Amino acid sequence: MLFLVRMDVHLPTDMPPEQANEIKDREKTYSQPLQRDGRWRHIWRIVGEYSNFSLFDVSSNDELHGLLTGLPLFPYMDIAVTPLAHHPSDIT
Amino acid sequence: MLFLVRMDVHLPTDMPPEQANEIKDREKTYSQPLQRDGRWRHIWRIVGEYSNFSLFDVSSNDELHGLLTGLPLFPYMDIAVTPLAHHPSDIT
Amino acid sequence: MLFLVRMDVHLPTDMPPEQANEIKDREKTYSQPLQRDGRWRHIWRIVGEYSNFSLFDVSSNDELHGLLTGLPLFPYMDIAVTPLAHHPSDIT
Amino acid sequence: MLFLVRMDVHLPTDMPPEQANEIKDREKTYSQPLQRDGRWRHIWRIVGEYSNFSLFDVSSNDELHGLLTGLPLFPYMDIAVTPLAHHPSDIT
Amino acid sequence: MLFLVRMDVHLPTDMPPEQANEIKDREKTYSQPLQRDGRWRHIWRIVGEYSNFSLFDVSSNDELHGLLTGLPLFPYMDIAVTPLAHHPSDIT
Amino acid sequence: MLFLVRMDVHLPTDMPPEQANEIKDREKTYSQPLQRDGRWRHIWRIVGEYSNFSLFDVSSNDELHGLLTGLPLFPYMDIAVTPLAHHPSDIT
Amino acid sequence: MLFLVRMDVHLPTDMPPEQANEIKDREKTYSQPLQRDGRWRHIWRIVGEYSNFSLFDVSSNDELHGLLTGLPLFPYMDIAVTPLAHHPSDIT
Amino acid sequence: MLFLVRMDVHLPTDMPPEQANEIKDREKTYSQPLQRDGRWRHIWRIVGEYSNFSLFDVSSNDELHGLLTGLPLFPYMDIAVTPLAHHPSDIT
Amino acid sequence: MLFLVRMDVHLPTDMPPEQANEIKDREKTYSQPLQRDGRWRHIWRIVGEYSNFSLFDVSSNDELHGLLTGLPLFPYMDIAVTPLAHHPSDIT
Amino acid sequence: MLFLVRMDVHLPTDMPPEQANEIKDREKTYSQPLQRDGRWRHIWRIVGEYSNFSLFDVSSNDELHGLLTGLPLFPYMDIAVTPLAHHPSDIT
C-alpha cells in the first residue's frame, strides 16, 4: 500500500554542527534497511529546499506511523502524508 | 532528470458523459507510450480525489512542458511541478 | 484501518430539485450497506455546512478510493482523506 | 452533543525529555477517566504527525472548553473544534 | 449555549431581481420569530460585504444546524460556526 | 459604533506562571470598567482556544485603537478588527 | 474617521461590452460627488489588476456601508475594509 | 525600472477554439514591439501551467499599468506585479 | 510615483523597553523629514495592530527600497509593497 | 535550462552584526563566479523585503540544488524554485 510523504526539516540555526551531523548520520543509518527491504521505495530531494518527497510501501497506517515517528529527525520535521491508490491509466 | 507532478482534474459537471469518456480515453492512450519509454515513470491516484501524483523523467524543462500541455485533459487540470534532485540518503 | 474523511458537497444552485433529490436518495441508499458492514463506521453532519466528517474502516487505500468514487455525489464533492493510526492514550 | 477536535502538539525541541515525558504521562492519566465515562469517545493519531483527531460527547460548550483547557499539554497545542450534528444518512 | 456564526451570501449575479428579493423577504420573515424568542440574539452586517456575523443561543448543535439549514438563503451562503464559552473576565 | 474583535493570546510557554498570572490579573482589572460603561459590550471565550471574540461599542476608530493597545496582554496578542453596521433584518 | 478599502472587480467575461460600459459610467458618476465632498478622499488603481485601493473619510460604519453597497459595481466586487487610526509618527 | 510580472491565463473551457486562437494571435502581435523596444525584456513559460513570468522595464507605474491592461488576454488573466530594485550582489 | 506600503512590526516580547523605545524614537526621527519633503505622504495606524499603511511618492523602485531598508525598525518588520497607478475615476 | 528562484532571508534579529556581515560577504563572494560564468544570470532585490528573485541557467536539477545549498545564507533562507520553459511569444 503506497503513501507519498513530504518531509520538511527545520533544524534550529543555532544547533551545534556536530549535533546536527550526528542526527543526520542516524537518519541515514535508519533509512537504509527500510530502503533495502522495499518499504521506503523512493526518496527524492526537493530542489532548493531541506525537504524530501518519499514513497512508502507498507501494510498499514500503523506501520507507516511507526516508521515515521522513529526517524531521528522526526522532532524537527513537518510531515504530510498522502495515501495513494492504483491509477487506471497505469500500465505497470 | 526527475520531476514530481500533481494533476487535479476539474471536468465541468454538465459535460456529457460520452464527451468526458472520449477525453479520458485519449488521455489514457496518450500516456501509454510515455510510460513505456520511461519518461512517465509513475502515476498514482490520490485517494478520494480526481487527482494524481506522477513522476516524470525528462531531459529538460521544455520537454516536460511539451508533454504536459499535450495531455488531452490539460485544459481541465491544475498542474503543479516540483523539480527533484538526488537525495544523499538514497541507496539506489 | 481507519481513515477520517471530510466531504464538502457543492450542488449547482440551478440543479432542478427533483434531480438533486434523486442523487441524494441514491447517496443514502449507497451508504447504508457500507454502514451496516462496518466499513463506513460513522457519519456526522458539520453544523451549518453541507458537509460531513466520516470514519471509514477499510483494508486498503484502493478499497477506500473505490468506495469514495462510487458515491453518487462524488462529482459534486471536495474530499479530503486523513489516514489514522492507533493513539497510545487510547484505552479501548 | 458531539464535537470533532483536532489537536496539534508543538513541544519545544529543547525541552528536557524527562519534562516532556512527565507532561505526556499526566496527559494520559488525565484522558483515561474521560474516555471511560464516554465524554472522550475516540482518540486517533494522525499518521506522521504529533497530532490527533478526537471525538467528544459533552452536554455544553462550556463543559468542552473546561475539558480541553485542563489538558496538561494545552499550553503546547493548537486546537480546532468542529461542532457536529446528526446526519440524515446515519442509520445508527 | 452560544455560537458565533458568520454568513457570506453569494447570489448569482444573473439571478432576476424579483427572485432575489423574494428570497431576501423570506429570509427576513424567517429570522424574525427566531430573534424574538431569543435564539438569534444578534445579527450585524459586516461593513462593505454581503455578509453578517450572528450570535445564536440554542440548546444543542442539532438545533443550530436545523435553524441554519432552514434559512431561505442557505443554498447561496458559506457559513462558519464558532462555539463560544463563558469568558472568565466577563462580568455579566 | 460596533466592532467585532478577535483576540488570540500567545504567551511564551517559558513565561513564569506568576508573571503570566500578574498580566492576566491586570487584563481582568483593565476590562471591568470598560464592560461596565458599555464600551466592551461582550466577551466570549472561543471553545478550545486561548482566544476571545469581543464586541466593542465606541465612538471612533481612534478610541477603539486606544482601548486595544492599552490591554496588558496586547504585546502577546494577534488582534483582528471587523467593523459592523446595522443589518436590515435586525428587529431590535 | 478613515478607512482603507480594497475593491476587486470581477465582471463576467461574457457580459456585453455596452452593459459593462454602462455600469462603469454609473460607477464614475456615483463616485464624483463623494470625491468632491471629501468622503472618498483617494482612489488609486492597483498596477496590473482591475482593483483599487481607496481612502474613505466618514462619520460612522453605517455611513461607509451605505456608500459601498450603493456602488453600481457592488454586486461584482470583493471588498475588504480596514479601519485606520492616527499614527503617532504622523506629523500632519 | 524593473518589475517582475506573473500572468495566469484562465480561458473559459467552452470558448470556441477559433476565438481563443484569435485572442492569442493578437496577444502575440501586441507583445512583439514591446519586446523589441526593450520594455518587455523577458517572457518565460511556467512549466506545466498556462502562465508566464515576465520582466518589464518601464519608466513608471502608470506606463506598466497601461501596457498590462492593453493585453488582449487581460480580461482572462490574474496578474501579480512585484517591483524590483538593484541587488547589492549584482555584478552587472 | 505612488506605492502603498503595509508594515507589520514584530518586536521580540523580551526586548528591554528602553531598547524598544530607543528604536521607536529613531524611527520617528527618521520618518519626519520624509514626511515633510512629501515622499512619505501618509501614515495610518491599523486599528488594533502594531502595523501601518503608508503612502510613498518616490521617483523609482530603488529610491523606495532605500527608504524602507533605512527604517530603524526594518529588521523587525514584514513589509508588503503595492505599486499604484492613476485611477480613471479620480477627479483630482 | 532556466529556473526562477525566490529567496527570502530570515537572519535572527539577535545575530551579532559582525557575524551577519561575515555571512553576507561570503554570500557575495560565492555569487560572483556564478554570475560571471552565466549560471546565475540575474539577481534582483524585491522592493521593501530582504528577498530576491534570481534567474539560474543550469544543465540539471541536481546542479541547481548544489548551487543553492552551497549558499552561505542557505540555512537562513526560504527558497522556492519555479522551472521555466520557452514561451511561444518570445521573439529572442
Side-chain angles (χ1 to χ4, degrees):
Chain A
M1 218 167 52
L2 300 177
F3 293 86
L4 187 70
V5 179
R6 179 180 173 132
M7 308 181 199
D8 295 285
V9 186
H10 303 285
L11 288 181
T13 52
D14 59 356
M15 179 184 276
E18 52 276 22
Q19 185 186 351
N21 288 333
E22 188 269 339
I23 299 176
K24 292 177 197 174
D25 284 350
R26 282 195 288 127
E27 181 87 4
K28 201 168 182 171
T29 303
Y30 178 90
S31 80
Q32 295 202 350
L34 296 172
Q35 291 186 65
R36 280 202 202 89
D37 68 21
R39 288 186 289 172
W40 195 333
R41 281 178 42 174
H42 292 290
I43 179 168
W44 303 289
R45 182 61 86 203
I46 298 175
V47 173
E49 305 187 41
Y50 190 1
S51 304
N52 71 73
F53 270 114
S54 287
L55 189 76
F56 284 86
D57 185 357
V58 293
S59 56
S60 74
N61 290 348
D62 281 302
E63 182 183 4
L64 179 59
H65 188 67
L67 295 183
L68 295 174
T69 52
L71 289 163
L73 281 168
F74 182 77
Y76 306 100
M77 294 201 294
D78 288 325
I79 291 184
V81 173
T82 305
L84 302 174
H86 178 76
H87 192 285
S89 294
D90 185 354
I91 63 170
T92 63
Chain B
M1 218 166 52
L2 300 178
F3 293 86
L4 186 72
V5 179
R6 180 179 172 134
M7 309 182 198
D8 295 285
V9 186
H10 303 285
L11 289 181
T13 52
D14 60 356
M15 179 184 277
E18 52 277 21
Q19 185 186 351
N21 288 333
E22 188 270 339
I23 299 176
K24 292 176 197 173
D25 284 350
R26 282 196 288 125
E27 182 86 4
K28 200 168 183 171
T29 304
Y30 179 90
S31 80
Q32 296 202 349
L34 296 171
Q35 290 186 65
R36 280 202 202 88
D37 68 22
R39 288 187 288 173
W40 195 334
R41 282 178 40 174
H42 292 290
I43 179 167
W44 303 287
R45 183 59 87 205
I46 297 175
V47 173
E49 305 187 40
Y50 191 1
S51 304
N52 72 72
F53 270 114
S54 287
L55 189 77
F56 283 87
D57 184 357
V58 294
S59 56
S60 74
N61 289 349
D62 282 302
E63 182 182 6
L64 179 59
H65 188 67
L67 295 184
L68 294 174
T69 53
L71 290 163
L73 280 168
F74 181 77
Y76 306 100
M77 292 200 296
D78 288 325
I79 291 184
V81 173
T82 305
L84 302 175
H86 178 76
H87 192 286
S89 294
D90 185 355
I91 64 170
T92 63
Chain C
M1 219 166 51
L2 300 178
F3 293 86
L4 186 72
V5 179
R6 180 179 172 135
M7 310 182 198
D8 295 285
V9 186
H10 304 285
L11 289 181
T13 52
D14 60 357
M15 180 184 276
E18 53 275 23
Q19 185 185 351
N21 288 333
E22 187 270 339
I23 300 176
K24 292 177 198 174
D25 284 350
R26 281 196 288 126
E27 182 86 4
K28 200 168 183 174
T29 303
Y30 178 90
S31 80
Q32 297 202 349
L34 296 170
Q35 291 185 66
R36 280 201 203 90
D37 68 21
R39 288 187 288 172
W40 194 333
R41 282 178 41 175
H42 293 290
I43 178 167
W44 303 287
R45 182 60 87 203
I46 298 175
V47 173
E49 306 187 42
Y50 191 1
S51 304
N52 71 73
F53 271 113
S54 287
L55 189 77
F56 283 87
D57 185 355
V58 294
S59 56
S60 73
N61 290 347
D62 282 301
E63 183 183 5
L64 180 59
H65 188 67
L67 294 184
L68 294 174
T69 54
L71 289 163
L73 281 168
F74 182 77
Y76 306 100
M77 293 201 295
D78 288 325
I79 291 183
V81 173
T82 305
L84 301 175
H86 178 76
H87 192 285
S89 294
D90 185 355
I91 64 170
T92 62
Chain D
M1 217 167 50
L2 301 177
F3 293 86
L4 187 70
V5 178
R6 179 181 172 133
M7 308 182 198
D8 296 284
V9 186
H10 304 285
L11 289 182
T13 53
D14 59 357
M15 180 183 276
E18 53 276 22
Q19 184 185 354
N21 288 333
E22 188 270 339
I23 299 176
K24 292 176 197 174
D25 284 349
R26 282 195 288 126
E27 181 87 4
K28 202 168 181 170
T29 304
Y30 178 90
S31 79
Q32 295 202 350
L34 296 171
Q35 291 186 65
R36 280 201 203 91
D37 68 22
R39 288 187 288 172
W40 196 331
R41 281 176 45 173
H42 292 290
I43 179 167
W44 304 287
R45 181 62 85 204
I46 298 176
V47 173
E49 305 187 41
Y50 190 2
S51 304
N52 70 73
F53 270 114
S54 288
L55 189 76
F56 283 87
D57 186 355
V58 294
S59 56
S60 74
N61 290 348
D62 281 301
E63 182 183 5
L64 179 59
H65 187 67
L67 295 184
L68 294 174
T69 54
L71 289 162
L73 281 168
F74 182 76
Y76 306 101
M77 294 202 294
D78 288 326
I79 291 184
V81 173
T82 305
L84 301 175
H86 178 76
H87 192 286
S89 294
D90 186 353
I91 63 170
T92 62
Chain E
M1 218 167 50
L2 300 177
F3 293 86
L4 186 71
V5 178
R6 180 179 172 134
M7 309 182 197
D8 296 283
V9 186
H10 304 283
L11 289 181
T13 52
D14 60 356
M15 179 183 277
E18 53 276 22
Q19 186 185 351
N21 288 333
E22 187 270 338
I23 299 176
K24 291 176 198 174
D25 284 350
R26 282 196 287 126
E27 182 86 4
K28 201 167 181 172
T29 304
Y30 179 90
S31 79
Q32 296 202 347
L34 296 171
Q35 291 186 64
R36 280 201 204 91
D37 68 21
R39 288 187 287 172
W40 194 334
R41 282 177 42 174
H42 293 289
I43 178 166
W44 304 287
R45 182 60 86 204
I46 297 175
V47 174
E49 305 188 41
Y50 191 1
S51 304
N52 72 73
F53 271 113
S54 288
L55 188 77
F56 283 87
D57 185 357
V58 294
S59 57
S60 73
N61 290 348
D62 282 301
E63 183 183 5
L64 180 59
H65 188 66
L67 294 184
L68 295 174
T69 55
L71 290 163
L73 282 168
F74 182 77
Y76 306 101
M77 293 201 295
D78 288 326
I79 291 184
V81 173
T82 305
L84 301 175
H86 178 77
H87 192 286
S89 295
D90 186 355
I91 63 168
T92 62
Chain F
M1 219 167 50
L2 301 177
F3 294 86
L4 186 70
V5 178
R6 180 180 172 134
M7 309 182 198
D8 295 284
V9 186
H10 303 284
L11 289 182
T13 52
D14 59 357
M15 179 184 277
E18 54 275 23
Q19 184 185 353
N21 288 333
E22 187 269 340
I23 300 176
K24 291 177 199 174
D25 284 349
R26 282 196 288 126
E27 182 86 4
K28 202 166 182 173
T29 303
Y30 179 90
S31 79
Q32 295 202 351
L34 297 171
Q35 291 185 65
R36 279 200 205 91
D37 68 21
R39 288 187 287 172
W40 195 333
R41 281 177 42 174
H42 292 291
I43 178 167
W44 304 287
R45 182 60 87 204
I46 297 175
V47 173
E49 306 187 41
Y50 190 2
S51 304
N52 70 73
F53 270 114
S54 288
L55 189 77
F56 283 87
D57 185 357
V58 294
S59 57
S60 73
N61 290 348
D62 283 300
E63 182 183 4
L64 180 58
H65 187 67
L67 295 184
L68 295 174
T69 53
L71 289 163
L73 281 168
F74 182 76
Y76 306 100
M77 293 201 294
D78 288 325
I79 291 184
V81 173
T82 305
L84 301 175
H86 178 77
H87 192 287
S89 295
D90 186 354
I91 63 168
T92 62
Chain G
M1 218 168 50
L2 300 178
F3 293 86
L4 186 72
V5 179
R6 180 180 173 134
M7 308 181 198
D8 295 284
V9 186
H10 304 285
L11 289 181
T13 53
D14 60 355
M15 179 184 277
E18 52 275 24
Q19 185 186 351
N21 288 332
E22 188 270 339
I23 300 176
K24 292 177 197 174
D25 285 349
R26 281 196 287 126
E27 182 86 5
K28 201 168 182 171
T29 303
Y30 179 91
S31 79
Q32 296 203 348
L34 296 172
Q35 291 186 64
R36 280 200 204 91
D37 68 22
R39 287 186 290 172
W40 195 332
R41 281 176 43 172
H42 292 290
I43 179 167
W44 303 287
R45 182 60 87 204
I46 298 176
V47 174
E49 304 187 43
Y50 191 2
S51 304
N52 71 73
F53 270 114
S54 288
L55 189 77
F56 284 87
D57 185 356
V58 294
S59 55
S60 74
N61 290 348
D62 282 300
E63 182 183 6
L64 179 59
H65 188 67
L67 294 185
L68 294 174
T69 54
L71 290 162
L73 282 168
F74 182 77
Y76 306 100
M77 293 202 294
D78 288 326
I79 291 183
V81 172
T82 305
L84 301 174
H86 178 76
H87 193 285
S89 295
D90 186 355
I91 63 170
T92 62
Chain H
M1 217 167 52
L2 300 177
F3 293 86
L4 187 71
V5 178
R6 181 180 172 132
M7 308 181 198
D8 295 284
V9 186
H10 304 284
L11 289 181
T13 53
D14 60 355
M15 179 183 276
E18 53 276 21
Q19 185 186 351
N21 289 333
E22 188 270 339
I23 299 176
K24 292 176 196 173
D25 285 349
R26 282 195 288 127
E27 181 87 5
K28 201 168 183 171
T29 304
Y30 179 91
S31 80
Q32 296 202 349
L34 296 171
Q35 290 186 65
R36 281 202 202 89
D37 68 22
R39 287 187 288 172
W40 195 333
R41 281 178 42 173
H42 292 290
I43 179 168
W44 303 287
R45 181 61 86 204
I46 298 175
V47 173
E49 304 186 42
Y50 190 3
S51 305
N52 71 73
F53 270 114
S54 288
L55 189 77
F56 283 87
D57 185 357
V58 294
S59 56
S60 73
N61 290 348
D62 282 301
E63 182 182 5
L64 180 59
H65 187 68
L67 294 184
L68 294 175
T69 53
L71 290 163
L73 281 168
F74 181 77
Y76 306 100
M77 293 201 293
D78 288 325
I79 291 184
V81 173
T82 305
L84 302 174
H86 178 76
H87 192 286
S89 295
D90 185 353
I91 63 170
T92 63
Chain I
M1 219 166 51
L2 300 178
F3 292 87
L4 187 71
V5 179
R6 180 181 172 134
M7 309 181 199
D8 295 285
V9 186
H10 303 286
L11 289 182
T13 52
D14 59 356
M15 179 183 276
E18 53 275 24
Q19 186 185 352
N21 288 334
E22 187 269 340
I23 300 176
K24 291 177 198 174
D25 285 349
R26 282 196 288 125
E27 182 86 5
K28 201 167 182 173
T29 303
Y30 179 91
S31 79
Q32 295 202 350
L34 297 171
Q35 290 186 65
R36 280 202 204 89
D37 69 21
R39 289 187 287 172
W40 195 333
R41 281 178 40 174
H42 292 290
I43 179 167
W44 303 287
R45 181 61 86 204
I46 298 175
V47 173
E49 306 188 40
Y50 190 1
S51 304
N52 71 73
F53 270 114
S54 288
L55 189 77
F56 283 86
D57 185 356
V58 294
S59 57
S60 74
N61 290 348
D62 282 301
E63 183 183 4
L64 180 59
H65 188 67
L67 294 184
L68 295 174
T69 54
L71 290 163
L73 281 168
F74 182 76
Y76 306 100
M77 293 202 294
D78 288 325
I79 291 183
V81 173
T82 305
L84 301 175
H86 179 77
H87 192 286
S89 295
D90 186 354
I91 63 169
T92 63
Chain J
M1 218 166 52
L2 300 177
F3 293 86
L4 187 71
V5 178
R6 180 181 172 132
M7 308 181 198
D8 295 285
V9 186
H10 303 285
L11 289 181
T13 52
D14 59 357
M15 179 184 276
E18 53 276 22
Q19 185 185 352
N21 289 333
E22 187 270 339
I23 300 176
K24 292 177 197 174
D25 285 349
R26 282 196 287 125
E27 182 86 5
K28 201 168 182 170
T29 303
Y30 179 91
S31 80
Q32 295 202 350
L34 296 172
Q35 291 186 64
R36 281 202 202 88
D37 69 21
R39 288 186 288 172
W40 195 333
R41 281 179 41 174
H42 292 290
I43 179 168
W44 303 288
R45 181 61 84 204
I46 297 175
V47 173
E49 306 187 40
Y50 190 1
S51 304
N52 72 73
F53 270 114
S54 288
L55 189 76
F56 283 87
D57 185 357
V58 294
S59 56
S60 74
N61 290 348
D62 282 301
E63 182 183 5
L64 180 59
H65 188 67
L67 295 184
L68 294 174
T69 52
L71 290 163
L73 281 168
F74 182 76
Y76 305 101
M77 294 200 294
D78 287 325
I79 291 183
V81 173
T82 305
L84 302 174
H86 178 77
H87 192 286
S89 294
D90 185 354
I91 64 171
T92 62

